Amino acid sequence: MNAQLRSFVAQWPVYVPVVAAVDLALSWGHSLSAGLLILVGCALTGAVLAAVHHAEVIAHRVGEPFGSLVLALAVTVIEVALIVTLMADGGDKSSTLARDTVFAAVMITCNGIVGMCLLVGALRRRVATFNPEGTGAAFGAVATLAGLSLVLPTFTTSTPGPRFSPPQLVFAALAALIVYGLFVSTQTVRHRDYFLPVTAEGVVIDTDDHAEPPSARAALGSLGLLFVALIAVVGLAKVVSPTIESAVSAAGLPASVVGVVIALMVLLPESIAAFRAARGDRVQTSLNLALGSAMASIGLTIPAVAVASIWLNGPLVLGLSATHMVLLALTVVVGTLTVIPGRATPLQGGVHLSLLGAYLVLAVSP
């Protein structure tokens, strides 16, 4: 009996995504009582943990930096689908949803996940070491995409308000796709060694000495279950979003707080995976996850909403407010100074986390 119980417990990553998907199917489109909300919350937590497990299995099979790319791309594709769905349902009030969600993802990844990973890595080894060539290239691409997609609309004059005109939106979408495609090519083909973990002396680690990689069959099974788990994460986040909206409205908080909360839930699998990588002395892997997620969020969301705006009603507002532009500028400056040396102390991690704290405080109390 004990052996059967241990075997069942060991298989939890297989059962939990399926249970979460069933929970999503049963709760979709229904108003939930307090008890059902608790069950949905438990299913959401289990799906997040299962997604992290399967992402690590795939990463072990394909190696870095492909493993980081798989999780970042999978989460972002489903996140884009969620944004477009919410925009289609929301009417005029969802005109800023894409902007708020993308900017929240940038701040959470570039300050929250990066700061957490640098802090954990530095506390473990006194100094967190990473590859400045790859990390700098990724951060530069994120800064460029954020500037082109979220800052420029505030200053254009062809269309009233912080919006792109149709030709400008087409350019921004194409630029986002091209820059993201160039980054993926650089990360996985031409300069793959720039994105591999390094030792304290800066020597690239291109082997994994911990354990035998899983079989191709196990990796494919984990890939399928990863997508099931991520669909459940995003779907359950949408299920609980009306409750979050009601709570935010009752508390008198700005509507953009809803986007922040949903972004935090959607990025939770990557946050946990990045934390575990940093704790395992693989800071470069954790930075790949953070910056790859930020870039995928912009590079895929902007083209998707550009296409969706053809049939969606209402304006598409992408330009940031002055407060958010200041936070983005601080993030770019601090991130650049962090990346250049290829080494970071707990101070750099704390500075990035303080910027995330400022963003969250200003989101609640603008």
Side-chain angles (χ1 to χ4, degrees):
M1 188 65 164
N2 290 334
Q4 292 178 346
L5 180 61
R6 285 194 297 268
S7 176
F8 178 81
V9 171
Q11 294 296 316
W12 73 267
V14 176
Y15 304 129
V16 168
V18 177
V19 172
V22 172
D23 195 4
L24 172 61
L26 294 177
S27 59
W28 188 266
H30 296 83
S31 57
L32 304 179
S33 63
L36 291 177
L37 276 174
I38 294 175
L39 292 177
V40 169
C42 292
L44 178 60
T45 303
V48 167
L49 297 176
V52 172
H53 170 84
H54 292 298
E56 290 182 339
V57 171
I58 296 167
H60 195 188
R61 172 66 187 182
V62 302
E64 285 298 324
F66 300 98
S68 301
L69 183 64
V70 168
L71 181 58
L73 196 59
V75 169
T76 307
V77 167
I78 300 173
E79 180 185 356
V80 168
L82 175 61
I83 292 172
V84 174
T85 301
L86 292 175
M87 289 180 67
D89 295 341
D92 291 342
K93 68 179 182 180
S94 65
S95 61
T96 62
L97 179 63
R99 178 199 66 186
D100 294 339
T101 306
V102 170
F103 185 63
V106 171
M107 295 301 292
I108 292 168
T109 53
C110 292
N111 287 315
I113 301 179
V114 167
M116 172 189 67
C117 294
L118 293 179
L119 184 62
V120 171
L123 290 175
R124 178 180 174 85
R125 295 288 186 181
R126 298 194 63 192
V127 175
T129 306
F130 51 89
N131 196 323
E133 287 89 351
T135 308
F139 190 77
V142 171
T144 299
L145 290 179
L148 290 177
S149 302
L150 302 177
V151 176
L152 279 184
T154 304
F155 299 98
T156 56
T157 57
S158 299
T159 305
R163 298 163 51 197
F164 275 140
S165 66
Q168 292 167 344
L169 184 59
V170 170
F171 167 77
L174 291 176
L177 284 175
I178 291 171
V179 171
Y180 183 67
L182 287 172
F183 168 75
V184 172
S185 174
T186 301
Q187 184 185 35
T188 59
V189 181
R190 295 188 64 87
H191 298 285
R192 175 175 170 266
D193 54 314
Y194 287 178
F195 299 89
L196 295 174
V198 294
T199 64
E201 294 75 25
V203 179
V204 173
I205 303 173
D206 198 7
T207 57
D208 191 349
D209 300 327
H210 292 89
E212 289 295 323
S215 64
R217 180 178 180 181
L220 287 174
S222 286
L223 181 62
L225 289 169
L226 171 64
F227 277 98
V228 172
L230 290 174
I231 290 171
V233 168
V234 178
L236 291 173
K238 188 177 186 301
V239 167
V240 300
S241 62
T243 303
I244 297 173
E245 291 175 353
S246 300
V248 167
S249 178
L253 299 175
S256 59
V257 173
V258 177
V260 176
V261 174
I262 294 177
L264 285 169
M265 290 190 294
V266 171
L267 288 171
L268 191 56
E270 289 163 303
S271 301
I272 296 175
F275 172 79
R276 294 176 67 170
R279 192 178 60 181
D281 206 21
R282 291 177 288 122
V283 175
Q284 183 63 53
T285 300
S286 64
L287 294 178
N288 291 345
L289 280 165
L291 298 177
S293 299
M295 197 177 316
S297 180
I298 306 174
L300 297 178
T301 300
I302 299 303
V305 297
V307 173
S309 65
I310 297 174
W311 71 83
L312 292 177
N313 296 323
L316 176 61
V317 177
L318 292 176
L320 294 174
S321 65
T323 302
H324 286 167
M325 282 191 287
V326 170
L327 287 174
L328 181 60
L330 282 172
T331 299
V332 171
V333 172
V334 171
T336 302
L337 296 175
T338 297
V339 167
I340 288 174
R343 297 160 66 85
T345 65
L347 173 62
Q348 282 96 330
V351 170
H352 280 281
L353 290 173
S354 70
L355 287 175
L356 176 67
Y359 165 69
L360 295 176
V361 168
L362 291 172
V364 173
S365 179

